[in-house]
Amino acid sequence: MTYIIQHIKLVNFKNYKQLNVQLNQKFNAFIGLNGMGKTNLLDAVYYLCMGKSYFTTSDKNVVCFEQDFIRLKANIIDDQEQSNHEVIVKVIPSKSKEIHYNNKKYSKLSEHVGFMPVVIIAPGDVYNLLDTSEFRRKFLDSTLIQFDKEYLHHLITYNRVLAQRNALLKQFADRQAWDQKLLDILNDKMKEPANYIYKRRKEEVDLLIPIFQDIYQRVSGKAERCLLKYSSALEQKGWNELLSESIEKDRILRRSAAGIHKDDIAFYINDKKLKTFASQGQLKSFVFSLKLAQYHFIKNKTGKKPILLLDDIFDKLDEARVKSLIDIISESDYGQIFLTDTSMSRVQQIFDDLELDFAIMNIERGEIINDTIN
């Protein structure tokens, strides 16, 4: 079953005081100059799917200026039963967040994650995935939490206990005292979540590799050998041994020096580190292919076609790569797609050439000033 958003309504979301948007079931393009709000519309769709923003960790940053709440509403239809669904998000930053599905409030926000799977490709992803191990771990986590509720539970538990452990280590240092029994209690609480997270992440990377390699060949038109490799200290050592060996580092650093929060993915092209040896075109093709592989991985696991969000990617690719990418995502394997760009004529030409079903909306200062539907 695949869900299609037919209509969204935004109230006080970023630069949108109020906006109603009727959507196309396949391609939706938001066109505008930088700063007009086209990316904010993509983020609103992401928020409706995941219950949070893709671009900021604080809900305070998604509220319209001088307002104190946001409200998002989506009218949705599934492609099998053609039944109607409704999702409403209500947020008062630092006070409350509610997500309602068909007039029923979720008891936990995590229950909503995975209802409408989503994958986003944004300009900052190239830098973040290449330079930031935390972002690479989040890439794996954001994939798995959309279909594995147990993974999400273990991830929340691990992060909560990790914060407690770090606070305890700092307390030990401040008081110049050490309580190994107290630390062992937290270590034991982290063991099961850590092992589960490690196994699922490794499985994800192993399954992503062939999908990713196939997409990379199509996007780039090149014959480079590309590889992903997941690395974790748990590959070589058990959890108790790992933490036991890191005690001295923990003392010095006053935080947890070992654990699955230190895991990483390495990227290779022709057996060399991607960041060091790849051209700009190869870097972009690599990251875009990785995100599309994420899309297919989620689709294979859930049986749902995720919503695909593409933010200003045409400016980052040459004409051949743009055509390859559009050829791929216009196939039946892909569901509803949202994209942004600064050029109306460029997007119109792409859609016309491929004879695609689309809606184009011109965004200016938080308003849709005109639209084209085909």
Side-chain angles (χ1 to χ4, degrees), residues 6 29 41 58 69 91 98 164 217 222 225 271 296 313:
Q6 295 184 306
L41 264 178
S58 174
F69 76 97
V91 182
E98 298 178 2
Q164 294 171 351
Q217 297 300 319
K222 302 290 184 180
R225 297 186 308 278
D271 301 322
H296 284 276
I313 64 167

Side-chain angles (χ1 to χ4, degrees), residues 31 43 45 54 79 117 154 190 206 241-242 280 286 327:
I31 310 301
D43 202 25
V45 176
Y54 183 74
D79 66 345
H154 283 308
M190 297 171 75
D206 289 343
E241 181 185 3
L242 180 65
Q280 284 299 310
F286 194 102
D327 283 342

Side-chain angles (χ1 to χ4, degrees), residues 3-257:
Y3 294 102
I4 297 166
I5 302 176
Q6 295 184 306
H7 177 269
I8 56 174
K9 181 177 181 180
L10 283 62
V11 178
N12 296 335
F13 188 84
K14 295 192 174 181
N15 69 325
Y16 293 97
K17 288 189 176 180
Q18 185 160 315
L19 184 72
N20 289 282
V21 188
Q22 198 72 30
L23 299 167
N24 183 276
Q25 64 179 358
K26 184 62 178 179
F27 280 97
N28 296 274
F30 305 132
I31 310 301
L33 299 176
N34 293 330
M36 292 296 102
K38 58 188 188 297
T39 298
N40 293 343
L41 264 178
L42 287 194
D43 202 25
V45 176
Y46 186 87
Y47 206 116
L48 281 161
C49 294
M50 297 294 286
K52 63 180 181 180
S53 167
Y54 183 74
F55 298 99
T56 178
T57 57
S58 174
D59 284 330
K60 292 180 180 180
N61 297 328
V62 302
V63 181
C64 189
F65 182 62
E66 294 186 338
Q67 302 300 316
D68 58 6
F69 76 97
I70 66 170
R71 189 177 190 274
L72 305 175
K73 178 182 177 182
N75 297 111
I76 302 153
I77 192 168
D78 65 74
D79 66 345
Q80 291 184 5
E81 299 177 359
Q82 295 294 301
S83 55
N84 296 312
H85 309 265
E86 181 183 80
V87 172
I88 297 176
V89 178
K90 303 175 184 179
V91 182
I92 302 176
S94 303
K95 292 184 179 180
S96 66
K97 180 185 291 189
E98 298 178 2
I99 302 179
H100 298 252
Y101 171 64
N102 290 346
N103 296 317
K104 183 178 180 180
K105 178 184 171 183
Y106 287 107
S107 58
K108 296 180 180 179
L109 299 178
S110 59
E111 293 175 359
H112 175 65
V113 177
F115 167 66
M116 291 190 296
V118 64
V119 170
I120 184 169
I121 304 177
D125 291 342
V126 174
Y127 166 80
N128 289 329
L129 279 167
L130 294 176
D131 284 23
T132 313
S133 61
E134 180 182 4
F135 197 86
R136 291 190 287 272
R137 288 188 294 274
K138 285 183 177 179
F139 165 76
L140 296 177
D141 294 339
S142 68
T143 306
L144 291 163
I145 65 174
Q146 296 195 64
F147 62 84
D148 188 337
K149 294 296 184 184
E150 190 173 357
Y151 185 91
L152 179 56
H153 168 73
H154 283 308
L155 186 65
I156 292 171
T157 300
Y158 182 90
N159 288 333
R160 183 183 69 247
V161 182
L162 175 64
Q164 294 171 351
R165 191 178 191 275
N166 287 338
L168 188 63
L169 289 170
K170 185 176 184 302
Q171 187 181 97
F172 287 167
D174 291 341
R175 296 180 178 180
Q176 295 186 336
W178 187 271
D179 188 336
Q180 187 62 46
K181 289 184 178 180
L182 189 55
L183 196 64
D184 285 341
I185 293 173
L186 296 184
N187 293 347
D188 288 341
K189 288 182 178 180
M190 297 171 75
K191 183 176 181 178
E192 182 182 357
N195 285 323
Y196 188 92
I197 291 167
Y198 160 67
K199 290 176 182 177
R200 290 296 175 266
R201 284 177 177 173
K202 188 175 187 308
E203 177 188 68
E204 176 187 353
V205 173
D206 289 343
L207 293 173
L208 273 175
I209 290 172
I211 305 171
F212 159 73
Q213 290 173 332
D214 178 64
I215 295 174
Y216 180 86
Q217 297 300 319
R218 295 187 62 189
V219 170
S220 67
K222 302 290 184 180
E224 297 101 353
R225 297 186 308 278
C226 295
L227 186 64
L228 316 172
K229 185 177 180 182
Y230 177 58
S231 60
S232 173
L234 287 178
E235 290 177 297
Q236 306 296 330
K237 300 172 182 176
W239 178 252
N240 293 337
E241 181 185 3
L242 180 65
L243 292 195
S244 177
E245 291 183 358
S246 72
I247 286 178
E248 289 307 313
K249 283 187 178 180
D250 290 349
R251 286 178 182 270
I252 295 170
L253 297 175
R254 302 169 65 173
R255 63 178 184 272
S256 303

Side-chain angles (χ1 to χ4, degrees), residues 279-303:
S279 67
Q280 284 299 310
Q282 288 171 330
L283 292 176
K284 294 166 187 173
S285 295
F286 194 102
V287 172
F288 293 151
S289 300
L290 183 61
K291 285 301 192 86
L292 293 183
Q294 177 189 31
Y295 181 99
H296 284 276
F297 183 82
I298 294 172
K299 181 173 73 70
N300 293 341
K301 288 290 186 178
T302 64

